[in-house]
Amino acid sequence: MEKGKAKNLRGISIYHDKGMTVYSNPFMKNGYVISDSDVKQYSFYAGRLWVSILLGLTAFLMFDLHPLLAAGIALVFYLLSSFFFVFSFLDKLPLLRNYKKPQRTSLIEEKARTQSVGRLIGTMLLSFTIAVLIILNAKQSAYEGMLLYGSYAFAAFMVITGIMNIVYLVKKKRMI
């Protein structure tokens, strides 16, 4: 994504309507217009959920905190960052009252439309190959416990990614 290009923003709460990029989450009736100069700050706040999760995991794994305490730290960080997002960032943006959200295209249609056939095939083949190699590595290295289960989980994720790319390809062929 080019820096400062609001038209390149994507997400659950981002809408592109009448040449504007609008933020409006599912619980809001209003929309907020994001300009090119606001993209960097929006991107900073958009990652607040993942940063909170990583903070909680770090507190749990590195500092050996109780899981509930680590989850509490993550929750407090998320709530604080959301508070600053709403009251420090969104309040500065132009407001669209009673914003009517345009109809969304599905994720499958979006991926089928934006990705090339070669890229979809390559990602599919790579996903299946990585899944097989991860399982072979786990067996050959004689992994046990969490490492084995983590390897299986990641391999399953890669298989799902490969299957999704097949779905995108089928949708792309039907769209042509």
Side-chain angles (χ1 to χ4, degrees), residues 68-128:
L68 289 176
L69 183 59
I73 290 171
L75 179 64
V76 166
F77 182 82
Y78 180 75
L79 292 174
L80 279 173
S81 60
S82 294
F83 177 82
F84 284 112
F85 174 67
V86 171
F87 294 107
S88 138
F89 176 67
L90 288 183
D91 275 352
K92 294 178 184 174
L93 298 178
L95 176 67
L96 299 174
R97 294 204 181 276
N98 296 320
Y99 178 67
K100 302 285 187 234
K101 298 170 185 154
Q103 185 67 30
R104 282 201 180 270
T105 59
S106 72
L107 175 68
I108 294 173
E109 285 181 28
E110 178 87 16
K111 287 289 185 181
R113 188 171 36 84
T114 59
Q115 302 291 324
S116 69
V117 172
R119 184 177 181 126
L120 290 172
I121 291 173
T123 305
M124 174 195 60
L125 293 174
L126 192 62
S127 297
F128 289 135

Side-chain angles (χ1 to χ4, degrees), residues 17 26 42-43 70 80 106 114-115 130 171:
D17 190 21
Y42 172 77
S43 298
L80 279 173
S106 72
T114 59
Q115 302 291 324
I130 289 172
K171 184 69 172 179

